[in-house]
Amino acid sequence: MTRPDTDERADLVQALGQARFFLRHTLRDLRSDQAAERTTVSELTLGGLVKHVTLTERQWSDFIVQGPSAMLAYDDPDAVKGWTDAFRIGEGESLQGLFDAYDGVARRTDELVRTLPDLGATQPLPPAPWFEKGARWSARRVILHIIAETAQHAGHADIIRESLDGAKSMG
């Protein structure tokens, strides 16, 4: 028997896949050194964005299953440093390696969306100034958040790429 929410799950996986595609497409034909280059006053780099969305998607997918313990503690200096380091390509990292890690996280998230028993199941958000106290997010809302994050950062990547060499994702 087909689950009644199969279409919704397929839509979520498709929307996330489309956001991922635009991010990847924006970085097409780049070398690792280009992906590490800052082209604006921001600290953001193309490779750093891939690294960040990988960490973000992994963390939020873990949150769906494990709850708030999967999230970085905003008031832990080591966690904050790790979070900011996730915006940079580190020594010895390559763009291909970053994409390989991203692909692994993407496969895991897509499988999670397809197989979760209940998209409406909730977890309490961890304490943080940007979350409403006592708020809970459903798996559905977390997946929508991952889609929004990925799409937002694909837009950032488009600006950085155009500043780097004039290439555009669209148009």
Side-chain angles (χ1 to χ4, degrees):
M1 181 170 121
T2 303
R3 288 165 43 162
D5 62 354
T6 299
D7 288 345
E8 177 186 15
R9 291 167 188 268
D11 287 347
L12 291 169
V13 169
Q14 189 278 331
L16 185 51
Q18 184 177 22
R20 290 181 191 127
F21 166 80
F22 280 114
L23 178 61
R24 288 186 71 101
H25 180 68
T26 300
L27 277 74
R28 69 196 177 282
D29 303 324
L30 285 181
R31 299 181 316 267
S32 294
D33 63 310
Q34 291 173 302
E37 189 175 326
R38 285 182 49 209
T39 63
T40 67
V41 296
S42 169
E43 291 289 325
L44 295 177
T45 67
L46 293 166
L49 285 171
V50 173
K51 196 171 173 181
H52 170 71
V53 296
T54 301
L55 172 69
T56 299
E57 185 170 326
R58 179 184 302 119
Q59 180 177 304
W60 280 109
S61 293
D62 289 346
F63 170 82
I64 290 171
V65 176
Q66 301 169 18
S69 65
M71 305 299 281
L72 296 174
Y74 80 93
D75 56 352
D76 176 353
D78 291 333
V80 171
K81 181 178 181 338
W83 185 253
T84 55
D85 287 349
F87 281 98
R88 297 179 189 86
I89 295 182
E91 196 67 35
E93 291 182 313
S94 70
L95 184 56
Q96 185 58 55
L98 297 177
F99 276 136
D100 290 346
Y102 190 38
D103 291 345
V105 168
R107 283 189 300 275
R108 181 175 167 258
T109 301
D110 291 351
E111 184 63 18
L112 182 65
V113 173
R114 288 184 190 102
T115 61
L116 276 171
D118 181 6
L119 291 174
T122 65
Q123 295 278 11
L125 291 171
W130 47 86
F131 294 136
E132 181 182 338
K133 187 176 180 169
R136 298 179 69 88
W137 278 12
S138 68
R140 179 182 295 103
R141 181 157 179 195
V142 171
I143 297 302
L144 291 170
H145 180 71
I146 294 169
I147 293 167
E149 279 273 324
T150 306
Q152 178 181 18
H153 290 311
H156 295 146
D158 194 35
I159 293 166
I160 295 168
R161 177 65 190 262
E162 190 171 354
S163 298
L164 178 68
D165 63 6
K168 298 178 185 178
S169 296
M170 298 177 70

